[in-house]
PDB file of all heavy atoms in Angstrom:
ATOM      1  N   TYR A 164      -9.457  21.521  14.709  1.00  0.00           N
ATOM      2  CA  TYR A 164     -10.453  21.162  15.725  1.00  0.00           C
ATOM      3  C   TYR A 164     -11.662  20.490  15.088  1.00  0.00           C
ATOM      4  O   TYR A 164     -12.161  19.474  15.588  1.00  0.00           O
ATOM      5  CB  TYR A 164     -10.879  22.406  16.506  1.00  0.00           C
ATOM      6  CG  TYR A 164     -12.208  22.220  17.201  1.00  0.00           C
ATOM      7  CD1 TYR A 164     -12.333  21.363  18.284  1.00  0.00           C
ATOM      8  CD2 TYR A 164     -13.359  22.876  16.718  1.00  0.00           C
ATOM      9  CE1 TYR A 164     -13.568  21.164  18.897  1.00  0.00           C
ATOM     10  CE2 TYR A 164     -14.580  22.681  17.324  1.00  0.00           C
ATOM     11  CZ  TYR A 164     -14.677  21.817  18.410  1.00  0.00           C
ATOM     12  OH  TYR A 164     -15.900  21.621  18.995  1.00  0.00           O
ATOM     13  N   ARG A 165     -12.134  21.042  13.986  1.00  0.00           N
ATOM     14  CA  ARG A 165     -13.306  20.462  13.339  1.00  0.00           C
ATOM     15  C   ARG A 165     -13.018  19.073  12.762  1.00  0.00           C
ATOM     16  O   ARG A 165     -13.933  18.259  12.599  1.00  0.00           O
ATOM     17  CB  ARG A 165     -13.802  21.403  12.235  1.00  0.00           C
ATOM     18  CG  ARG A 165     -14.461  22.663  12.774  1.00  0.00           C
ATOM     19  CD  ARG A 165     -15.792  22.366  13.448  1.00  0.00           C
ATOM     20  NE  ARG A 165     -16.725  21.771  12.510  1.00  0.00           N
ATOM     21  CZ  ARG A 165     -17.518  22.455  11.691  1.00  0.00           C
ATOM     22  NH1 ARG A 165     -17.496  23.788  11.731  1.00  0.00           N
ATOM     23  NH2 ARG A 165     -18.333  21.848  10.862  1.00  0.00           N
ATOM     24  N   MET A 166     -11.753  18.797  12.478  1.00  0.00           N
ATOM     25  CA  MET A 166     -11.402  17.495  11.919  1.00  0.00           C
ATOM     26  C   MET A 166     -11.079  16.458  13.000  1.00  0.00           C
ATOM     27  O   MET A 166     -11.190  15.258  12.764  1.00  0.00           O
ATOM     28  CB  MET A 166     -10.214  17.647  10.964  1.00  0.00           C
ATOM     29  CG  MET A 166     -10.552  18.490   9.733  1.00  0.00           C
ATOM     30  SD  MET A 166      -9.132  18.872   8.669  1.00  0.00           S
ATOM     31  CE  MET A 166      -8.880  17.295   7.866  1.00  0.00           C
ATOM     32  N   THR A 167     -10.715  16.925  14.197  1.00  0.00           N
ATOM     33  CA  THR A 167     -10.290  15.998  15.261  1.00  0.00           C
ATOM     34  C   THR A 167     -11.140  16.097  16.525  1.00  0.00           C
ATOM     35  O   THR A 167     -11.128  15.168  17.350  1.00  0.00           O
ATOM     36  CB  THR A 167      -8.834  16.275  15.672  1.00  0.00           C
ATOM     37  OG1 THR A 167      -8.758  17.601  16.246  1.00  0.00           O
ATOM     38  CG2 THR A 167      -7.893  16.176  14.482  1.00  0.00           C
ATOM     39  N   GLY A 168     -11.803  17.233  16.732  1.00  0.00           N
ATOM     40  CA  GLY A 168     -12.530  17.455  17.972  1.00  0.00           C
ATOM     41  C   GLY A 168     -11.656  17.907  19.118  1.00  0.00           C
ATOM     42  O   GLY A 168     -12.119  18.008  20.267  1.00  0.00           O
ATOM     43  N   LYS A 169     -10.384  18.231  18.847  1.00  0.00           N
ATOM     44  CA  LYS A 169      -9.444  18.626  19.905  1.00  0.00           C
ATOM     45  C   LYS A 169      -8.929  20.037  19.657  1.00  0.00           C
ATOM     46  O   LYS A 169      -8.555  20.390  18.541  1.00  0.00           O
ATOM     47  CB  LYS A 169      -8.283  17.625  19.976  1.00  0.00           C
ATOM     48  CG  LYS A 169      -8.732  16.208  20.344  1.00  0.00           C
ATOM     49  CD  LYS A 169      -7.555  15.267  20.483  1.00  0.00           C
ATOM     50  CE  LYS A 169      -8.029  13.847  20.807  1.00  0.00           C
ATOM     51  NZ  LYS A 169      -8.756  13.784  22.092  1.00  0.00           N
ATOM     52  N   LEU A 170      -8.874  20.835  20.740  1.00  0.00           N
ATOM     53  CA  LEU A 170      -8.407  22.214  20.669  1.00  0.00           C
ATOM     54  C   LEU A 170      -6.915  22.291  20.952  1.00  0.00           C
ATOM     55  O   LEU A 170      -6.435  21.713  21.930  1.00  0.00           O
ATOM     56  CB  LEU A 170      -9.145  23.087  21.687  1.00  0.00           C
ATOM     57  CG  LEU A 170     -10.666  23.201  21.556  1.00  0.00           C
ATOM     58  CD1 LEU A 170     -11.208  23.970  22.753  1.00  0.00           C
ATOM     59  CD2 LEU A 170     -11.048  23.902  20.264  1.00  0.00           C
ATOM     60  N   ALA A 171      -6.188  23.032  20.115  1.00  0.00           N
ATOM     61  CA  ALA A 171      -4.757  23.258  20.350  1.00  0.00           C
ATOM     62  C   ALA A 171      -4.283  24.338  19.389  1.00  0.00           C
ATOM     63  O   ALA A 171      -4.980  24.677  18.417  1.00  0.00           O
ATOM     64  CB  ALA A 171      -3.952  21.973  20.158  1.00  0.00           C
ATOM     65  N   MET A 172      -3.096  24.862  19.667  1.00  0.00           N
ATOM     66  CA  MET A 172      -2.473  25.853  18.796  1.00  0.00           C
ATOM     67  C   MET A 172      -0.969  25.615  18.802  1.00  0.00           C
ATOM     68  O   MET A 172      -0.384  25.393  19.861  1.00  0.00           O
ATOM     69  CB  MET A 172      -2.783  27.275  19.297  1.00  0.00           C
ATOM     70  CG  MET A 172      -2.320  28.388  18.372  1.00  0.00           C
ATOM     71  SD  MET A 172      -2.718  30.045  19.048  1.00  0.00           S
ATOM     72  CE  MET A 172      -4.515  29.997  19.053  1.00  0.00           C
ATOM     73  N   ASP A 173      -0.351  25.650  17.630  1.00  0.00           N
ATOM     74  CA  ASP A 173       1.093  25.420  17.593  1.00  0.00           C
ATOM     75  C   ASP A 173       1.845  26.719  17.880  1.00  0.00           C
ATOM     76  O   ASP A 173       1.303  27.822  17.759  1.00  0.00           O
ATOM     77  CB  ASP A 173       1.505  24.860  16.223  1.00  0.00           C
ATOM     78  CG  ASP A 173       1.719  25.952  15.206  1.00  0.00           C
ATOM     79  OD1 ASP A 173       0.706  26.512  14.727  1.00  0.00           O
ATOM     80  OD2 ASP A 173       2.872  26.288  14.916  1.00  0.00           O
ATOM     81  N   TYR A 174       3.114  26.580  18.258  1.00  0.00           N
ATOM     82  CA  TYR A 174       3.912  27.732  18.698  1.00  0.00           C
ATOM     83  C   TYR A 174       4.118  28.771  17.606  1.00  0.00           C
ATOM     84  O   TYR A 174       4.099  29.980  17.877  1.00  0.00           O
ATOM     85  CB  TYR A 174       5.275  27.258  19.224  1.00  0.00           C
ATOM     86  CG  TYR A 174       5.199  26.505  20.527  1.00  0.00           C
ATOM     87  CD1 TYR A 174       5.359  25.122  20.560  1.00  0.00           C
ATOM     88  CD2 TYR A 174       4.954  27.165  21.726  1.00  0.00           C
ATOM     89  CE1 TYR A 174       5.291  24.417  21.759  1.00  0.00           C
ATOM     90  CE2 TYR A 174       4.880  26.476  22.930  1.00  0.00           C
ATOM     91  CZ  TYR A 174       5.049  25.103  22.937  1.00  0.00           C
ATOM     92  OH  TYR A 174       4.969  24.404  24.123  1.00  0.00           O
ATOM     93  N   SER A 175       4.331  28.328  16.357  1.00  0.00           N
ATOM     94  CA  SER A 175       4.628  29.301  15.298  1.00  0.00           C
ATOM     95  C   SER A 175       3.435  30.215  15.044  1.00  0.00           C
ATOM     96  O   SER A 175       3.607  31.408  14.786  1.00  0.00           O
ATOM     97  CB  SER A 175       5.044  28.583  14.007  1.00  0.00           C
ATOM     98  OG  SER A 175       3.950  27.951  13.379  1.00  0.00           O
ATOM     99  N   ASP A 176       2.220  29.679  15.116  1.00  0.00           N
ATOM    100  CA  ASP A 176       1.033  30.509  14.949  1.00  0.00           C
ATOM    101  C   ASP A 176       0.724  31.294  16.220  1.00  0.00           C
ATOM    102  O   ASP A 176       0.298  32.450  16.165  1.00  0.00           O
ATOM    103  CB  ASP A 176      -0.158  29.627  14.581  1.00  0.00           C
ATOM    104  CG  ASP A 176      -0.861  30.096  13.309  1.00  0.00           C
ATOM    105  OD1 ASP A 176      -0.466  31.139  12.756  1.00  0.00           O
ATOM    106  OD2 ASP A 176      -1.801  29.414  12.871  1.00  0.00           O
ATOM    107  N   ALA A 177       0.951  30.675  17.380  1.00  0.00           N
ATOM    108  CA  ALA A 177       0.696  31.361  18.646  1.00  0.00           C
ATOM    109  C   ALA A 177       1.564  32.609  18.787  1.00  0.00           C
ATOM    110  O   ALA A 177       1.130  33.621  19.353  1.00  0.00           O
ATOM    111  CB  ALA A 177       0.942  30.411  19.817  1.00  0.00           C
ATOM    112  N   ALA A 178       2.790  32.555  18.272  1.00  0.00           N
ATOM    113  CA  ALA A 178       3.672  33.726  18.349  1.00  0.00           C
ATOM    114  C   ALA A 178       3.054  34.922  17.646  1.00  0.00           C
ATOM    115  O   ALA A 178       3.237  36.068  18.071  1.00  0.00           O
ATOM    116  CB  ALA A 178       5.034  33.389  17.742  1.00  0.00           C
ATOM    117  N   GLY A 179       2.299  34.671  16.576  1.00  0.00           N
ATOM    118  CA  GLY A 179       1.668  35.739  15.820  1.00  0.00           C
ATOM    119  C   GLY A 179       0.438  36.334  16.477  1.00  0.00           C
ATOM    120  O   GLY A 179      -0.128  37.299  15.965  1.00  0.00           O
TER     121      GLY A 179
END
Side-chain angles (χ1 to χ4, degrees):
Y164 160 70
R165 288 291 299 274
M166 295 173 75
T167 64
K169 297 183 182 298
L170 300 173
M172 187 180 296
D173 84 285
Y174 290 106
S175 72
D176 234 356

